[in-house]
Amino acid sequence: MAKNIYLRILSQLDTGIIVISSDRNIIYWNDWMYIHCGYSPELVKSHKLMELFPELIDTRIDRAVFKALDYKCPSILSAKLLKVTFPLYKKSITSCSKTFITQSVLVKPIELGDEDDYCIISISDTSSADLREKALREQSHSLNNIIKQIQKSDNQFKLIFDSTTNGIIVFEESGKIISSNGAGSAIFGYPEDHFSGADINIDSIMPGTKGRIKYFKEHIESKNNRQIMDFEEVEVIRHDGETIFLSYSFDCMPIKNSKNKYFVSFNDITEKKRTEEALFHLAKYDSLTNLPNRNNFFDIANRALNGCDRRRELVSVLFIDIDRFKTVNDTYGHNVGDRLLQEVSIRLTNCLRKDDIVARLSGDEFAIVAKHNVDDRAPISIAEKIISEIGKAFIFDGNEIHIGSSIGIAQYPEDGKDIETLLTKADRSMYDSKNSGGNLVRFFTNEMNRSMQTRIKMEVDIRRAIENNEFEMYFQPLINLSDSSIYGVETLIRWHRPNCGLVLPEEFISTAEECGLIVQLGDWIIENALSKQRLLTETLGEGVRMTINLSPRQFRDSSLADKLEIFIENNLADPNFIVFEITEGHLLEGGKQSVDMLKKIKKLGFSIAIDDFGTGYSSFSYLRDLPIEILKIDKSFLIDSENDATSLKLVSCIVDLAHALDLTVIAEGVESETIKEFLQGVHCDIGQGYYFDKPLSINDLLAINSDKYEKGLRKH
Ligand code: C2E
Ligand code: CA
Ligand code: CA
């Protein structure tokens, strides 16, 4: 190949090459040098190295050049020992960011076949510490080869081409490979001469080259000048199937009266890339727990806060500090301390939903970012879960270790709009928790603290109330509007809360629902209602129809149908007289699972009523498809609506539609004679409300004067 091709290739190497003559003038300088210090090859010619880099005067490099030229002595200067290195900077898109290149430098004497003495300087970027030693060894090896071969041959550049550690492959416009140097095939895992003369297309080993050739061809034709591409990265498959990364540069050499030649020059940077990835991970993640570290936390948390306003989301930031961690560390040693932190991070992660963020801030401090809706108890339940999970024993090498957690919570947007403010406030609240004895949760905002404390107290009290039998079922008559007889009763729960008197369900049902106690309470309700239904039946000598409210959680409890079946088997329930009330929203939101449960309950012989109709979806379509018998129109339609024509019109329409679907209609909230008469006028089947009776205790129910209703408390 022509000498200028070798020259071109040399200029493209990923290593700095300088050749200096005995009069200390630079006679050759490749493009790498130009890129990393800004002096072009033309400019430096016939200049002395020390004129360009005065800082090198009287340094080891200066002495190495002197030794090479005057004493034929080679030197290897590694970054570790090199006090002053070439002032070369990494090429960067922004000129202001100047990263100094860590380098290893080789200085060797060479003979180029004339009378003169020369020395060659080769400079490698060894910024990645792991690669430094390897690069040094390789560089030394390759330079030895270069020098050895140059000394033996006239064709100096061919030899440089062959002995460099950069892979070089030369090919035609069609992509057919003409030749390659040893490194070129070795990097791909082939024997040295594999590519030369073989019928291989460059695109098959380096995908994308075809497009490059096309681009270059068009450029050369239109501008008739040479294009050099910067180093780029490409992923290729090695001969043994392994994926490797190459840093490569592509060039075309227009040759007069002959076909253009193209070549790629490349380095295997797989190891460097892996190191970079490892370093990236190290910079972003905590190496002990693999959780995001503090810096990364700020980045991801700020990203999470972005757009929350628009989506009307609330965000809670939890600051968690482990109680007694220092004692564990001091007692059992750092090894156990580390394992404890690892286990803590696993438990923390398990307390969260998929989209929540947890990070280790430092030592035994962790932070969490969780998004939630306005009415959501997410921050409280997450905090409670954490306290309970971290409170469970940790067992290491047979030692049972007990720690706790102190948690501070700040909320977006009330407490702050950026993560720094929120975290500071959460941290401050965490200190409050710690100062109050640890194993506690504190909100930054007082109001939240109060509402949380009330809720937590409510939970404790409900639990105790179940044990102490503080609940009682009340019964509200449902009246047949056609003849004022009693159709049945709705069971409604009441709580005799110590020092609070009789507490209505609205004050505690939602808390019981949120903390899951409703399942336990619901079991009690069903059992109690059924026993009262039997009592009424026995007392009156006839079955009494009874409706029982089911909360969503109860309805989703997969064992509900089994429990009911056991009641039937043990003759504790007569499904013919029992109606379960469920609201339409809960039925629809529960999806297929709810529909399946509904069908199971129905199959056991119970009836189903849709409660509070008109407050949610008010959709009739599902009523047609599901086995539902009764529709209860929500009381809001009738309370204070004597003069509200729209409300009354709606009630009349609902009744008509429900009848068209063969449903029995109960209107709740009948408070006056006028409303009762209105309902009779629109042929509503049943009325329920204070006009007839308030919810009554079992004794009051049994005592109501049967004359009050034409046919008494009977099923008709
Ligand atoms: P709900 O199922 O809609 O029950 C009807 C509520 O309306 C009852 O309130 C009842 O006292 C009230 N009410 C009846 N007639 C009138 C009237 O004419 N005017 C007015 N203003 N109100 C009337 P209560 O007993 O306070 O129950 C409230 C809610 O608590 C119930 O609404 C139900 O959702 C829930 N709840 C009550 N008992 C239970 C229960 O045993 N289990 C479950 N899961 N929830 C229950
Ligand atoms: Ca109800
Ligand atoms: Ca209702």
PDB file of all heavy atoms in Angstrom, residues 202-233:
ATOM      1  N   ILE A 202     -16.900  -5.987   5.321  1.00  0.00           N
ATOM      2  CA  ILE A 202     -16.709  -5.284   6.594  1.00  0.00           C
ATOM      3  C   ILE A 202     -18.026  -5.125   7.361  1.00  0.00           C
ATOM      4  O   ILE A 202     -18.065  -5.179   8.584  1.00  0.00           O
ATOM      5  CB  ILE A 202     -16.006  -3.904   6.349  1.00  0.00           C
ATOM      6  CG1 ILE A 202     -15.726  -3.163   7.655  1.00  0.00           C
ATOM      7  CG2 ILE A 202     -16.806  -3.003   5.444  1.00  0.00           C
ATOM      8  CD1 ILE A 202     -14.566  -3.655   8.427  1.00  0.00           C
ATOM      9  N   ASP A 203     -19.123  -4.957   6.598  1.00  0.00           N
ATOM     10  CA  ASP A 203     -20.417  -4.736   7.255  1.00  0.00           C
ATOM     11  C   ASP A 203     -20.864  -5.950   8.075  1.00  0.00           C
ATOM     12  O   ASP A 203     -21.609  -5.822   9.029  1.00  0.00           O
ATOM     13  CB  ASP A 203     -21.470  -4.395   6.203  1.00  0.00           C
ATOM     14  CG  ASP A 203     -22.585  -3.560   6.803  1.00  0.00           C
ATOM     15  OD1 ASP A 203     -22.271  -2.487   7.344  1.00  0.00           O
ATOM     16  OD2 ASP A 203     -23.740  -4.009   6.779  1.00  0.00           O
ATOM     17  N   SER A 204     -20.380  -7.120   7.688  1.00  0.00           N
ATOM     18  CA  SER A 204     -20.814  -8.310   8.418  1.00  0.00           C
ATOM     19  C   SER A 204     -20.138  -8.391   9.784  1.00  0.00           C
ATOM     20  O   SER A 204     -20.635  -9.053  10.689  1.00  0.00           O
ATOM     21  CB  SER A 204     -20.527  -9.571   7.603  1.00  0.00           C
ATOM     22  OG  SER A 204     -19.133  -9.760   7.521  1.00  0.00           O
ATOM     23  N   ILE A 205     -18.992  -7.753   9.933  1.00  0.00           N
ATOM     24  CA  ILE A 205     -18.366  -7.785  11.259  1.00  0.00           C
ATOM     25  C   ILE A 205     -18.535  -6.471  12.007  1.00  0.00           C
ATOM     26  O   ILE A 205     -18.524  -6.430  13.221  1.00  0.00           O
ATOM     27  CB  ILE A 205     -16.867  -8.185  11.191  1.00  0.00           C
ATOM     28  CG1 ILE A 205     -16.110  -7.254  10.236  1.00  0.00           C
ATOM     29  CG2 ILE A 205     -16.697  -9.629  10.765  1.00  0.00           C
ATOM     30  CD1 ILE A 205     -14.617  -7.353  10.426  1.00  0.00           C
ATOM     31  N   MET A 206     -18.713  -5.390  11.286  1.00  0.00           N
ATOM     32  CA  MET A 206     -18.936  -4.075  11.914  1.00  0.00           C
ATOM     33  C   MET A 206     -20.206  -3.478  11.334  1.00  0.00           C
ATOM     34  O   MET A 206     -20.167  -2.747  10.339  1.00  0.00           O
ATOM     35  CB  MET A 206     -17.770  -3.147  11.604  1.00  0.00           C
ATOM     36  CG  MET A 206     -16.777  -3.069  12.694  1.00  0.00           C
ATOM     37  SD  MET A 206     -15.782  -1.619  12.398  1.00  0.00           S
ATOM     38  CE  MET A 206     -14.612  -1.828  13.667  1.00  0.00           C
ATOM     39  N   PRO A 207     -21.340  -3.795  11.940  1.00  0.00           N
ATOM     40  CA  PRO A 207     -22.610  -3.346  11.362  1.00  0.00           C
ATOM     41  C   PRO A 207     -22.651  -1.829  11.227  1.00  0.00           C
ATOM     42  O   PRO A 207     -22.142  -1.110  12.080  1.00  0.00           O
ATOM     43  CB  PRO A 207     -23.659  -3.826  12.374  1.00  0.00           C
ATOM     44  CG  PRO A 207     -22.958  -4.779  13.264  1.00  0.00           C
ATOM     45  CD  PRO A 207     -21.507  -4.521  13.185  1.00  0.00           C
ATOM     46  N   GLY A 208     -23.226  -1.369  10.142  1.00  0.00           N
ATOM     47  CA  GLY A 208     -23.366   0.079   9.953  1.00  0.00           C
ATOM     48  C   GLY A 208     -22.323   0.668   9.023  1.00  0.00           C
ATOM     49  O   GLY A 208     -22.419   1.810   8.600  1.00  0.00           O
ATOM     50  N   THR A 209     -21.312  -0.134   8.680  1.00  0.00           N
ATOM     51  CA  THR A 209     -20.240   0.415   7.851  1.00  0.00           C
ATOM     52  C   THR A 209     -20.741   0.747   6.447  1.00  0.00           C
ATOM     53  O   THR A 209     -20.300   1.715   5.831  1.00  0.00           O
ATOM     54  CB  THR A 209     -19.066  -0.584   7.737  1.00  0.00           C
ATOM     55  OG1 THR A 209     -19.049  -1.372   8.911  1.00  0.00           O
ATOM     56  CG2 THR A 209     -17.762   0.123   7.587  1.00  0.00           C
ATOM     57  N   LYS A 210     -21.682  -0.050   5.975  1.00  0.00           N
ATOM     58  CA  LYS A 210     -22.230   0.154   4.634  1.00  0.00           C
ATOM     59  C   LYS A 210     -22.734   1.592   4.476  1.00  0.00           C
ATOM     60  O   LYS A 210     -22.412   2.273   3.507  1.00  0.00           O
ATOM     61  CB  LYS A 210     -23.403  -0.807   4.451  1.00  0.00           C
ATOM     62  CG  LYS A 210     -23.573  -1.357   3.074  1.00  0.00           C
ATOM     63  CD  LYS A 210     -24.689  -2.360   3.166  1.00  0.00           C
ATOM     64  CE  LYS A 210     -25.074  -2.963   1.873  1.00  0.00           C
ATOM     65  NZ  LYS A 210     -26.082  -3.995   2.121  1.00  0.00           N
ATOM     66  N   GLY A 211     -23.521   2.021   5.454  1.00  0.00           N
ATOM     67  CA  GLY A 211     -24.075   3.373   5.442  1.00  0.00           C
ATOM     68  C   GLY A 211     -22.983   4.420   5.462  1.00  0.00           C
ATOM     69  O   GLY A 211     -23.044   5.438   4.770  1.00  0.00           O
ATOM     70  N   ARG A 212     -21.942   4.139   6.234  1.00  0.00           N
ATOM     71  CA  ARG A 212     -20.814   5.079   6.327  1.00  0.00           C
ATOM     72  C   ARG A 212     -20.142   5.239   4.960  1.00  0.00           C
ATOM     73  O   ARG A 212     -19.804   6.340   4.555  1.00  0.00           O
ATOM     74  CB  ARG A 212     -19.774   4.549   7.304  1.00  0.00           C
ATOM     75  CG  ARG A 212     -20.218   4.592   8.727  1.00  0.00           C
ATOM     76  CD  ARG A 212     -19.560   5.766   9.413  1.00  0.00           C
ATOM     77  NE  ARG A 212     -20.150   5.949  10.707  1.00  0.00           N
ATOM     78  CZ  ARG A 212     -20.674   7.080  11.140  1.00  0.00           C
ATOM     79  NH1 ARG A 212     -20.667   8.140  10.357  1.00  0.00           N
ATOM     80  NH2 ARG A 212     -21.191   7.172  12.321  1.00  0.00           N
ATOM     81  N   ILE A 213     -19.949   4.085   4.299  1.00  0.00           N
ATOM     82  CA  ILE A 213     -19.255   4.137   3.004  1.00  0.00           C
ATOM     83  C   ILE A 213     -20.055   5.027   2.053  1.00  0.00           C
ATOM     84  O   ILE A 213     -19.512   5.886   1.366  1.00  0.00           O
ATOM     85  CB  ILE A 213     -19.105   2.718   2.395  1.00  0.00           C
ATOM     86  CG1 ILE A 213     -18.288   1.824   3.340  1.00  0.00           C
ATOM     87  CG2 ILE A 213     -18.442   2.796   1.022  1.00  0.00           C
ATOM     88  CD1 ILE A 213     -18.198   0.370   2.904  1.00  0.00           C
ATOM     89  N   LYS A 214     -21.363   4.831   2.064  1.00  0.00           N
ATOM     90  CA  LYS A 214     -22.247   5.584   1.177  1.00  0.00           C
ATOM     91  C   LYS A 214     -22.103   7.087   1.456  1.00  0.00           C
ATOM     92  O   LYS A 214     -21.923   7.888   0.547  1.00  0.00           O
ATOM     93  CB  LYS A 214     -23.688   5.120   1.425  1.00  0.00           C
ATOM     94  CG  LYS A 214     -24.660   5.600   0.401  1.00  0.00           C
ATOM     95  CD  LYS A 214     -25.946   4.797   0.483  1.00  0.00           C
ATOM     96  CE  LYS A 214     -27.035   5.427  -0.356  1.00  0.00           C
ATOM     97  NZ  LYS A 214     -27.841   6.385   0.372  1.00  0.00           N
ATOM     98  N   TYR A 215     -22.148   7.397   2.747  1.00  0.00           N
ATOM     99  CA  TYR A 215     -22.055   8.790   3.152  1.00  0.00           C
ATOM    100  C   TYR A 215     -20.737   9.406   2.686  1.00  0.00           C
ATOM    101  O   TYR A 215     -20.692  10.486   2.110  1.00  0.00           O
ATOM    102  CB  TYR A 215     -22.171   8.873   4.680  1.00  0.00           C
ATOM    103  CG  TYR A 215     -21.889  10.226   5.253  1.00  0.00           C
ATOM    104  CD1 TYR A 215     -22.861  11.226   5.230  1.00  0.00           C
ATOM    105  CD2 TYR A 215     -20.647  10.511   5.805  1.00  0.00           C
ATOM    106  CE1 TYR A 215     -22.591  12.472   5.744  1.00  0.00           C
ATOM    107  CE2 TYR A 215     -20.377  11.762   6.320  1.00  0.00           C
ATOM    108  CZ  TYR A 215     -21.337  12.744   6.298  1.00  0.00           C
ATOM    109  OH  TYR A 215     -21.063  13.978   6.802  1.00  0.00           O
ATOM    110  N   PHE A 216     -19.672   8.677   2.897  1.00  0.00           N
ATOM    111  CA  PHE A 216     -18.349   9.179   2.526  1.00  0.00           C
ATOM    112  C   PHE A 216     -18.228   9.357   1.025  1.00  0.00           C
ATOM    113  O   PHE A 216     -17.680  10.320   0.532  1.00  0.00           O
ATOM    114  CB  PHE A 216     -17.268   8.207   3.027  1.00  0.00           C
ATOM    115  CG  PHE A 216     -16.785   8.547   4.398  1.00  0.00           C
ATOM    116  CD1 PHE A 216     -17.640   8.501   5.487  1.00  0.00           C
ATOM    117  CD2 PHE A 216     -15.463   8.936   4.601  1.00  0.00           C
ATOM    118  CE1 PHE A 216     -17.210   8.834   6.736  1.00  0.00           C
ATOM    119  CE2 PHE A 216     -15.025   9.273   5.871  1.00  0.00           C
ATOM    120  CZ  PHE A 216     -15.893   9.217   6.947  1.00  0.00           C
ATOM    121  N   LYS A 217     -18.804   8.385   0.331  1.00  0.00           N
ATOM    122  CA  LYS A 217     -18.702   8.403  -1.132  1.00  0.00           C
ATOM    123  C   LYS A 217     -19.362   9.686  -1.659  1.00  0.00           C
ATOM    124  O   LYS A 217     -18.779  10.426  -2.443  1.00  0.00           O
ATOM    125  CB  LYS A 217     -19.405   7.165  -1.689  1.00  0.00           C
ATOM    126  CG  LYS A 217     -19.182   6.960  -3.145  1.00  0.00           C
ATOM    127  CD  LYS A 217     -19.738   5.608  -3.560  1.00  0.00           C
ATOM    128  CE  LYS A 217     -19.705   5.462  -5.052  1.00  0.00           C
ATOM    129  NZ  LYS A 217     -20.879   5.945  -5.715  1.00  0.00           N
ATOM    130  N   GLU A 218     -20.572   9.945  -1.152  1.00  0.00           N
ATOM    131  CA  GLU A 218     -21.303  11.131  -1.597  1.00  0.00           C
ATOM    132  C   GLU A 218     -20.543  12.404  -1.264  1.00  0.00           C
ATOM    133  O   GLU A 218     -20.472  13.335  -2.041  1.00  0.00           O
ATOM    134  CB  GLU A 218     -22.696  11.171  -0.960  1.00  0.00           C
ATOM    135  CG  GLU A 218     -23.645  10.246  -1.679  1.00  0.00           C
ATOM    136  CD  GLU A 218     -24.881   9.926  -0.865  1.00  0.00           C
ATOM    137  OE1 GLU A 218     -25.114  10.599   0.149  1.00  0.00           O
ATOM    138  OE2 GLU A 218     -25.584   8.983  -1.260  1.00  0.00           O
ATOM    139  N   HIS A 219     -19.943  12.411  -0.083  1.00  0.00           N
ATOM    140  CA  HIS A 219     -19.194  13.575   0.336  1.00  0.00           C
ATOM    141  C   HIS A 219     -17.985  13.825  -0.543  1.00  0.00           C
ATOM    142  O   HIS A 219     -17.710  14.940  -0.934  1.00  0.00           O
ATOM    143  CB  HIS A 219     -18.731  13.374   1.780  1.00  0.00           C
ATOM    144  CG  HIS A 219     -19.362  14.350   2.680  1.00  0.00           C
ATOM    145  ND1 HIS A 219     -20.630  14.154   3.174  1.00  0.00           N
ATOM    146  CD2 HIS A 219     -18.938  15.557   3.117  1.00  0.00           C
ATOM    147  CE1 HIS A 219     -20.937  15.202   3.913  1.00  0.00           C
ATOM    148  NE2 HIS A 219     -19.941  16.056   3.892  1.00  0.00           N
ATOM    149  N   ILE A 220     -17.292  12.749  -0.814  1.00  0.00           N
ATOM    150  CA  ILE A 220     -16.080  12.887  -1.623  1.00  0.00           C
ATOM    151  C   ILE A 220     -16.464  13.369  -3.010  1.00  0.00           C
ATOM    152  O   ILE A 220     -15.850  14.271  -3.571  1.00  0.00           O
ATOM    153  CB  ILE A 220     -15.330  11.545  -1.714  1.00  0.00           C
ATOM    154  CG1 ILE A 220     -14.785  11.182  -0.336  1.00  0.00           C
ATOM    155  CG2 ILE A 220     -14.174  11.645  -2.695  1.00  0.00           C
ATOM    156  CD1 ILE A 220     -14.477   9.716  -0.212  1.00  0.00           C
ATOM    157  N   GLU A 221     -17.556  12.800  -3.547  1.00  0.00           N
ATOM    158  CA  GLU A 221     -17.967  13.186  -4.894  1.00  0.00           C
ATOM    159  C   GLU A 221     -18.408  14.640  -4.951  1.00  0.00           C
ATOM    160  O   GLU A 221     -18.092  15.362  -5.873  1.00  0.00           O
ATOM    161  CB  GLU A 221     -19.080  12.259  -5.390  1.00  0.00           C
ATOM    162  CG  GLU A 221     -18.482  10.980  -5.947  1.00  0.00           C
ATOM    163  CD  GLU A 221     -19.517   9.892  -6.136  1.00  0.00           C
ATOM    164  OE1 GLU A 221     -20.706  10.189  -5.961  1.00  0.00           O
ATOM    165  OE2 GLU A 221     -19.116   8.766  -6.461  1.00  0.00           O
ATOM    166  N   SER A 222     -19.133  15.067  -3.901  1.00  0.00           N
ATOM    167  CA  SER A 222     -19.643  16.438  -3.951  1.00  0.00           C
ATOM    168  C   SER A 222     -18.581  17.471  -3.601  1.00  0.00           C
ATOM    169  O   SER A 222     -18.500  18.520  -4.187  1.00  0.00           O
ATOM    170  CB  SER A 222     -20.847  16.593  -3.030  1.00  0.00           C
ATOM    171  OG  SER A 222     -20.431  16.335  -1.716  1.00  0.00           O
ATOM    172  N   LYS A 223     -17.735  17.162  -2.649  1.00  0.00           N
ATOM    173  CA  LYS A 223     -16.784  18.196  -2.207  1.00  0.00           C
ATOM    174  C   LYS A 223     -15.352  17.878  -2.584  1.00  0.00           C
ATOM    175  O   LYS A 223     -14.472  18.712  -2.451  1.00  0.00           O
ATOM    176  CB  LYS A 223     -16.863  18.335  -0.684  1.00  0.00           C
ATOM    177  CG  LYS A 223     -18.208  18.832  -0.215  1.00  0.00           C
ATOM    178  CD  LYS A 223     -18.094  19.305   1.208  1.00  0.00           C
ATOM    179  CE  LYS A 223     -19.440  19.775   1.699  1.00  0.00           C
ATOM    180  NZ  LYS A 223     -19.552  19.714   3.141  1.00  0.00           N
ATOM    181  N   ASN A 224     -15.186  16.658  -2.999  1.00  0.00           N
ATOM    182  CA  ASN A 224     -13.855  16.216  -3.351  1.00  0.00           C
ATOM    183  C   ASN A 224     -12.837  16.492  -2.254  1.00  0.00           C
ATOM    184  O   ASN A 224     -11.743  16.954  -2.497  1.00  0.00           O
ATOM    185  CB  ASN A 224     -13.427  16.877  -4.670  1.00  0.00           C
ATOM    186  CG  ASN A 224     -12.267  16.122  -5.262  1.00  0.00           C
ATOM    187  OD1 ASN A 224     -12.128  14.927  -4.991  1.00  0.00           O
ATOM    188  ND2 ASN A 224     -11.440  16.807  -6.048  1.00  0.00           N
ATOM    189  N   ASN A 225     -13.250  16.301  -1.070  1.00  0.00           N
ATOM    190  CA  ASN A 225     -12.245  16.397  -0.003  1.00  0.00           C
ATOM    191  C   ASN A 225     -12.417  15.248   0.980  1.00  0.00           C
ATOM    192  O   ASN A 225     -13.421  14.543   0.963  1.00  0.00           O
ATOM    193  CB  ASN A 225     -12.282  17.751   0.698  1.00  0.00           C
ATOM    194  CG  ASN A 225     -13.571  17.941   1.436  1.00  0.00           C
ATOM    195  OD1 ASN A 225     -14.406  17.047   1.447  1.00  0.00           O
ATOM    196  ND2 ASN A 225     -13.738  19.100   2.022  1.00  0.00           N
ATOM    197  N   ARG A 226     -11.421  15.094   1.789  1.00  0.00           N
ATOM    198  CA  ARG A 226     -11.381  13.941   2.657  1.00  0.00           C
ATOM    199  C   ARG A 226     -12.174  14.199   3.940  1.00  0.00           C
ATOM    200  O   ARG A 226     -12.164  15.292   4.472  1.00  0.00           O
ATOM    201  CB  ARG A 226      -9.909  13.720   3.006  1.00  0.00           C
ATOM    202  CG  ARG A 226      -9.622  12.470   3.712  1.00  0.00           C
ATOM    203  CD  ARG A 226      -8.154  12.487   4.070  1.00  0.00           C
ATOM    204  NE  ARG A 226      -8.036  12.159   5.466  1.00  0.00           N
ATOM    205  CZ  ARG A 226      -7.195  12.745   6.279  1.00  0.00           C
ATOM    206  NH1 ARG A 226      -6.410  13.694   5.852  1.00  0.00           N
ATOM    207  NH2 ARG A 226      -7.137  12.365   7.527  1.00  0.00           N
ATOM    208  N   GLN A 227     -12.911  13.201   4.384  1.00  0.00           N
ATOM    209  CA  GLN A 227     -13.680  13.343   5.622  1.00  0.00           C
ATOM    210  C   GLN A 227     -13.069  12.451   6.698  1.00  0.00           C
ATOM    211  O   GLN A 227     -12.815  11.293   6.463  1.00  0.00           O
ATOM    212  CB  GLN A 227     -15.121  12.879   5.388  1.00  0.00           C
ATOM    213  CG  GLN A 227     -15.874  13.736   4.419  1.00  0.00           C
ATOM    214  CD  GLN A 227     -16.142  15.114   4.985  1.00  0.00           C
ATOM    215  OE1 GLN A 227     -16.560  15.245   6.119  1.00  0.00           O
ATOM    216  NE2 GLN A 227     -15.868  16.142   4.203  1.00  0.00           N
ATOM    217  N   ILE A 228     -12.897  13.028   7.843  1.00  0.00           N
ATOM    218  CA  ILE A 228     -12.447  12.180   8.955  1.00  0.00           C
ATOM    219  C   ILE A 228     -13.555  12.151   9.991  1.00  0.00           C
ATOM    220  O   ILE A 228     -14.153  13.171  10.301  1.00  0.00           O
ATOM    221  CB  ILE A 228     -11.179  12.719   9.633  1.00  0.00           C
ATOM    222  CG1 ILE A 228     -10.062  12.851   8.606  1.00  0.00           C
ATOM    223  CG2 ILE A 228     -10.740  11.791  10.764  1.00  0.00           C
ATOM    224  CD1 ILE A 228      -8.806  13.453   9.174  1.00  0.00           C
ATOM    225  N   MET A 229     -13.792  10.980  10.472  1.00  0.00           N
ATOM    226  CA  MET A 229     -14.840  10.848  11.472  1.00  0.00           C
ATOM    227  C   MET A 229     -14.187  10.824  12.848  1.00  0.00           C
ATOM    228  O   MET A 229     -13.099  10.302  13.007  1.00  0.00           O
ATOM    229  CB  MET A 229     -15.527   9.511  11.215  1.00  0.00           C
ATOM    230  CG  MET A 229     -16.768   9.287  11.970  1.00  0.00           C
ATOM    231  SD  MET A 229     -17.247   7.588  11.623  1.00  0.00           S
ATOM    232  CE  MET A 229     -16.655   6.815  13.096  1.00  0.00           C
ATOM    233  N   ASP A 230     -14.853  11.403  13.819  1.00  0.00           N
ATOM    234  CA  ASP A 230     -14.360  11.313  15.188  1.00  0.00           C
ATOM    235  C   ASP A 230     -14.497   9.887  15.683  1.00  0.00           C
ATOM    236  O   ASP A 230     -15.243   9.114  15.120  1.00  0.00           O
ATOM    237  CB  ASP A 230     -15.209  12.205  16.094  1.00  0.00           C
ATOM    238  CG  ASP A 230     -14.599  13.579  16.178  1.00  0.00           C
ATOM    239  OD1 ASP A 230     -13.441  13.719  15.762  1.00  0.00           O
ATOM    240  OD2 ASP A 230     -15.299  14.488  16.649  1.00  0.00           O
ATOM    241  N   PHE A 231     -13.841   9.606  16.785  1.00  0.00           N
ATOM    242  CA  PHE A 231     -13.993   8.268  17.347  1.00  0.00           C
ATOM    243  C   PHE A 231     -15.413   8.057  17.838  1.00  0.00           C
ATOM    244  O   PHE A 231     -15.994   8.917  18.491  1.00  0.00           O
ATOM    245  CB  PHE A 231     -13.001   8.064  18.491  1.00  0.00           C
ATOM    246  CG  PHE A 231     -11.675   7.614  17.970  1.00  0.00           C
ATOM    247  CD1 PHE A 231     -10.701   8.523  17.636  1.00  0.00           C
ATOM    248  CD2 PHE A 231     -11.440   6.265  17.765  1.00  0.00           C
ATOM    249  CE1 PHE A 231      -9.492   8.111  17.112  1.00  0.00           C
ATOM    250  CE2 PHE A 231     -10.231   5.844  17.245  1.00  0.00           C
ATOM    251  CZ  PHE A 231      -9.253   6.772  16.917  1.00  0.00           C
ATOM    252  N   GLU A 232     -15.963   6.918  17.468  1.00  0.00           N
ATOM    253  CA  GLU A 232     -17.307   6.571  17.913  1.00  0.00           C
ATOM    254  C   GLU A 232     -17.270   5.185  18.519  1.00  0.00           C
ATOM    255  O   GLU A 232     -16.312   4.447  18.329  1.00  0.00           O
ATOM    256  CB  GLU A 232     -18.268   6.557  16.719  1.00  0.00           C
ATOM    257  CG  GLU A 232     -18.797   7.927  16.425  1.00  0.00           C
ATOM    258  CD  GLU A 232     -19.829   7.916  15.326  1.00  0.00           C
ATOM    259  OE1 GLU A 232     -20.365   6.833  15.020  1.00  0.00           O
ATOM    260  OE2 GLU A 232     -20.085   9.002  14.786  1.00  0.00           O
ATOM    261  N   GLU A 233     -18.359   4.844  19.224  1.00  0.00           N
ATOM    262  CA  GLU A 233     -18.389   3.523  19.831  1.00  0.00           C
ATOM    263  C   GLU A 233     -19.324   2.608  19.078  1.00  0.00           C
ATOM    264  O   GLU A 233     -20.369   3.037  18.596  1.00  0.00           O
ATOM    265  CB  GLU A 233     -18.849   3.637  21.284  1.00  0.00           C
ATOM    266  CG  GLU A 233     -17.739   4.147  22.154  1.00  0.00           C
ATOM    267  CD  GLU A 233     -18.154   4.323  23.591  1.00  0.00           C
ATOM    268  OE1 GLU A 233     -19.196   3.784  23.981  1.00  0.00           O
ATOM    269  OE2 GLU A 233     -17.412   5.004  24.306  1.00  0.00           O
TER     270      GLU A 233
END
